[in-house]
Amino acid sequence: MTGRYDDHPFIRACRGLPHQRVPVWFMRQAGRSLPEYRAIRGEGTILDAIADPELSTEITLQPVRRYDVDAAILYSDIVVPAHAVGFGLTVTPGVGPEVERPFRTEADLQRLRPLDPEADTPYVLATVRQLVAELDRPLIGFAGAPFTVASYLVEGRPSKDHAITKALMFANEPLWHSLLDRLADMAITSLRSQIDAGASAIQLFDSWAGALSAAQYRRFVYPHSEKVLSAIADTGVPRIHFGVTTGELLDQIGAAGADVVGVDWRVPLDQARRRVGAGKALQGNLDPTVVFAGAEVACAAAREVLAANDGHPGHVFNLGHGVMPTTDPDVLTEVVKTVHAEGTVRSEPAE
Ligand code: CP3
């Protein structure tokens, strides 16, 4: 499978191939940390902004212009497909996704009919197509992984312990698997439509998978995320698989079918590479709070990330989680410059 950006450092790094400079982008690079975002975002929920392709295109491009990052990531949200099929949710500013009637019983499965991207989320595809026409670098499409989306649908709001979600998982395993299977199908359909519209890579966000033990992840989550990632293998686009607090899960996050394993800041990249095993690239893993200590400290920490990677070609520099809203964007500009200027890539292909 060949693509327009096969020779781009970001795509080559995802494939573990030698390239000229360490590529960098930031999760949540668009959004409230940028004054230019706050200036155009408007009233209403983020779902309203996502439904406006002109606005979403501009918001996606803002951090690319400002930081000269190596990839754009579509401005959207992991709950968009569930919202689009009428599950009944909103994203409350400052809070996150909230559901009117949380998922609790068999009958709720009917509220998750299959996604028809052209009919249900035409605005997402319009945004992807417009971005692909305007960008001179790869666009990353994405979806929420079944567990993390389920956690919002079951809890009804953001949760720290995911207790209601895990209680459903333990108490009614058949219903749990039916729910995750539907969410897997939704993610597959959404990702394929973004790839068909021109996305050059995808990321599967399982942000809250770290709430599970390795055994729980293996039994209740792995089969569904594996289904998503293997269903898009034939497209040939790099697949990034990311979660937070996944130190004990990194081998499974990789084995589920990722080309690139997203690593949070808790596990240094050299250790992460041993846990993930050969043949996969890593993405990460600067602590997103280090930027609050100023540019000098942040750039020193970025150098430590580069040192832990030790020139391995399979490395995409990123934060260990998303840019926080109070981040000073000028510090991130300095981090990008440091990575581009000082990151070195060994010339042998990844083993
Ligand atoms: O990375 C990017 O810049 C791409 C855009 C993107 C958003 N959400 C935009 C957004 C992506 C990839 C997401 C994914 C997402 N959404 C995740 C997984 C990534 C992660 O952070 O772990 C999760 C868990 C969500 C659910 C969600 N949506 C939360 C928890 C929030 C924050 C609520 C708040 O206001 O603090 C949102 C809203 C959201 N999604 C914002 C943005 C820019 C901020 C709200 C706004 O501008 O109104």
Side-chain angles (χ1 to χ4, degrees), residues 26-32 37 41 46 73-78 91-97 142 148 152 205 207-208 242 321:
F26 302 119
M27 293 181 275
R28 279 286 170 83
Q29 60 193 16
R32 281 176 308 199
Y37 173 81
R41 159 75 167 71
I46 188 173
I73 179 159
L74 177 70
Y75 179 74
S76 184
D77 198 89
I78 56 167
V91 182
T92 310
V95 178
F142 70 89
T148 290
Y152 287 108
F205 280 94
S207 303
W208 314 138
F242 166 79
H321 198 184

Side-chain angles (χ1 to χ4, degrees), residues 81-82 85-88 99 101-115 146 149-150 153-154 168 172-186 224 227:
V85 301
F87 191 76
V99 176
R101 287 185 295 130
F103 184 101
R104 294 293 156 80
T105 69
E106 197 83 32
D108 292 318
L109 285 171
Q110 294 162 13
R111 295 162 61 203
L112 290 167
R113 67 163 170 81
L115 179 75
V149 176
L153 303 189
V154 175
L168 176 78
N172 192 342
E173 189 164 348
L175 178 59
W176 174 259
H177 286 299
S178 301
L179 169 60
L180 264 69
D181 191 55
R182 285 201 187 205
L183 296 176
D185 286 339
M186 219 179 255
H224 304 287
K227 175 177 159 175

Side-chain angles (χ1 to χ4, degrees), residues 286-299:
L286 185 68
D287 187 331
T289 64
V290 81
V291 298
F292 299 121
E296 205 173 312
V297 174
C299 291

Side-chain angles (χ1 to χ4, degrees), residues 1 7 35 37 51-52 57 63 68 133 135-136 140 148 181 201 203 212 221-222 233 244 280 325 337 351:
M1 188 72 59
D7 293 331
Y37 173 81
D52 178 345
T57 299
D68 192 25
L135 279 163
D136 61 356
I140 304 168
T148 290
D181 191 55
Q203 178 155 326
L212 303 172
V221 174
Y222 180 94
V244 188
K280 300 205 185 283
K337 282 187 196 158
E351 68 282 359

